[in-house]
Amino acid sequence: MCEATAYILNNAGEEELYLSDVDLIEPTDDGKLRLVSIYGEQKTLAGRIKSMSLVNHRVVLAAD
Amino acid sequence: MRICVIDGQGGGIGSVIIRRLKDEFGEQVQVLALGSNAIATAQMMKAGANRGATGENAIIWSIQDADVIIGPISIVLANAMMGEITPKVAAEVASCKAKKFLLPLTQENVEVASVIREPLPHQVDHIVGVRLKEMISNV
């Protein structure tokens, strides 16, 4: 639908879909990022948020 | 009025619905959280449901007395939510007498065409703040 979509930068610097319909992004105790979708799917990434466009519902992540 | 909110997996969608229902109507409505697994039910109970139950039989039994059923469209799709929605649950929900408000959100290979793409809270606002309000004021 139109929750946020998270993309991750690949080695070529291109954006790849990482997780759709993202509801929550939060830091974990071990310094990673936990993303949870509205369907309960979750992914944990050792990386950082590179950019967020709230109007366009886009989050771009970069892995460490 | 008895409202059954049905969800599975992590119960996130059901929780949003229940929170909004309770904000709008408080104890004017009785909200039953029906999860296809215990985690989903627990999440929906945390959101403020009056009662909760889990599993195929609980869902089938509880919806018989419902005035309204709210949930993602997956609840009428056999084997949706990684199989949590059994064919029997899907059939019983689809064919029960309660008014059903289904959100066009699904991870299945099903797309509801011609739906305005709105975030989940906006869709829930429309169900609770407009459609359900009309129903309750006409009772």
Side-chain angles (χ1 to χ4, degrees):
Chain A
M1 287 308 283
C2 117
E3 324 304 319
T5 305
Y7 299 89
I8 191 161
L9 291 176
N10 63 18
N11 293 336
E14 296 159 341
E15 292 176 6
E16 280 178 7
L17 178 66
Y18 186 68
L19 187 64
S20 298
D21 302 309
V22 176
D23 175 40
L24 177 73
I25 302 177
E26 63 180 6
T28 62
D29 292 340
D30 54 358
K32 295 176 179 171
L33 290 173
R34 177 170 164 263
L35 289 80
V36 185
S37 81
I38 58 170
Y39 302 109
E41 185 182 353
Q42 60 178 349
K43 286 186 173 182
T44 305
L45 171 80
R48 64 194 189 283
I49 295 173
K50 191 167 179 296
S51 68
M52 286 175 77
S53 170
L54 300 181
V55 170
N56 296 321
H57 310 276
R58 286 169 55 86
V59 180
V60 181
L61 306 165
D64 287 340
Chain B
M1 180 175 277
R2 194 176 161 103
I3 300 172
C4 289
V5 177
I6 305 175
D7 197 11
Q9 307 263 265
I13 294 171
S15 300
V16 172
I17 295 166
I18 290 170
R19 217 167 284 124
R20 185 68 181 83
L21 280 169
K22 284 298 177 182
D23 284 349
E24 186 73 40
F25 302 116
E27 293 309 314
Q28 200 182 336
V29 294
Q30 194 198 20
V31 177
L32 267 65
L34 302 175
S36 52
N37 70 68
I39 293 169
T41 306
Q43 278 300 108
M44 292 193 282
M45 289 303 292
K46 274 188 205 162
N50 298 96
R51 301 180 71 191
T54 303
E56 184 184 81
N57 196 60
I59 294 172
I60 290 167
W61 177 253
S62 301
I63 61 175
Q64 291 179 27
D65 297 326
D67 299 300
V68 173
I69 293 172
I70 309 176
I73 196 167
S74 310
I75 64 176
V76 294
L77 299 176
N79 302 314
M81 298 188 189
M82 296 175 75
E84 284 188 15
I85 302 299
T86 64
K88 197 170 179 191
V89 164
E92 294 283 343
V93 172
S95 54
C96 83
K97 285 186 167 60
K99 173 80 176 177
K100 289 158 284 275
F101 291 109
L102 303 176
L103 292 155
L105 304 168
T106 177
Q107 288 186 294
E108 317 314 315
N109 202 8
V110 172
E111 185 173 328
V112 182
S114 300
V115 167
I116 298 168
R117 289 168 63 87
E118 289 263 4
L120 172 61
H122 296 195
Q123 294 184 41
V124 173
D125 274 351
H126 180 74
I127 290 173
V128 176
V130 180
R131 301 291 291 111
L132 210 50
K133 228 173 186 173
E134 286 169 4
M135 272 184 81
I136 288 176
S137 60
N138 289 333
V139 167

